[in-house]
Amino acid sequence: MKVALITGVTGQDGSYLAELLLEKGYKVHGIKRRASSLNTDRIDHIYQDPHHPKPRFKLHYGDLTDSLNITKVIQECQPDEIYNLGAMSHVRVSFDVPEYVGQVDALGPLRILEAVRLLGLEKKTKIYQASTSELYGGMPENKNDKGFYDENSPFYPRSPYGVAKIYGFWITKNYREAYGMFACNGILFNHESPRRGETFVTRKITRAVARIALGQKEKFYLGNLDAKRDWGHAKDYVRMMWMILQAEQAEDWVIATGETTTVRDFVRMAFAEVGIELEFKGDGSNEKAYVVSCQDPNYQLEIGKEVLSVDPTYFRPTEVDLLIGDPSKAKNKLGWVPEHDLASLVKDMMQSDLKLFKNEH
């Protein structure tokens, strides 16, 4: 039985990956940070009683800022595969806590790599490092000849988060080349799901739209509506994480859909799921969205009602306007094909949040 260790197991990606690996017959260990309140909602359905005679899912308390703890957990688990998904991953917040982001997102991967080396597991343990499209910084001159970012595109991070992640990328590559470790970077473009954190823009949108449609909220606020992102479903992306560690050799991979959509259009699609059509008026920080029509009898709002306004507070000090990835390598070499498109992703998230707020109400 293969053994996997997942950092960030209580997050969106960690929970989906744990499900996938358990389905494939793995024994899964997860690391979660100690907190005064429980933060296991996403994995409660797969949690096993620790007194079970042969548990296949086990949680460990730990933190990526604590090298001694990381080494201890790895020594105990003796994993065949490590998936480092733990991070402070909110780009806007990284400007407020840049030192903490460096400790977790930059030095965290180093602590894992060094622990594996010191424990003599460099030939046994394969390592997946969760990298990010924020490495590219949206610089148009760095795209490939097809207009996308790929594995060879230059990096130009535009946030403390991106800068920290670039260290994580290069230290993973360095340990692969210096010590012959099977250590890979997955450069993930934006990936969402009903399990996405509430402060991330896509989940913020679907939660707000669901509450507005149900009459529980009047309006909501967003930042840059012109920002474009390559959005995929987290389920597709964690499947690719696993495929990366099953490849014949260790490499770095872009995980993306190859399509891009504005924040504004994501808002349109979310409202369309409840039969509401919007009209956007104004420019920049003065832009607002108003109800034009309501086609679903279950979700009726006043025509002309303002439901969205731009708030400059949510603008980033350095904005990344466009991100779009080229997944050709993943498709051609590993046969990875996304099973979800953006429309099905939005539907999945909206149905989940409608159900959530109906039940709460």
Side-chain angles (χ1 to χ4, degrees), residues 56 60 84 97 129-130 134 137 236 242 259 355:
R56 288 204 300 118
H60 304 260
N84 181 33
V97 289
Q129 166 62 17
E134 292 289 332
D236 287 324
W242 175 78
E259 299 180 7
K355 181 180 179 181

Side-chain angles (χ1 to χ4, degrees), residues 63 65-74 111:
D63 196 298
T65 63
D66 185 343
S67 57
L68 184 60
N69 167 262
I70 292 297
T71 304
K72 177 178 176 291
V73 172
I74 293 175
R111 293 180 179 109

Side-chain angles (χ1 to χ4, degrees), residues 170-181:
W170 282 113
I171 200 63
T172 300
K173 192 178 183 75
N174 178 256
Y175 269 63
R176 179 171 76 223
E177 296 174 351
Y179 302 113
M181 296 171 67

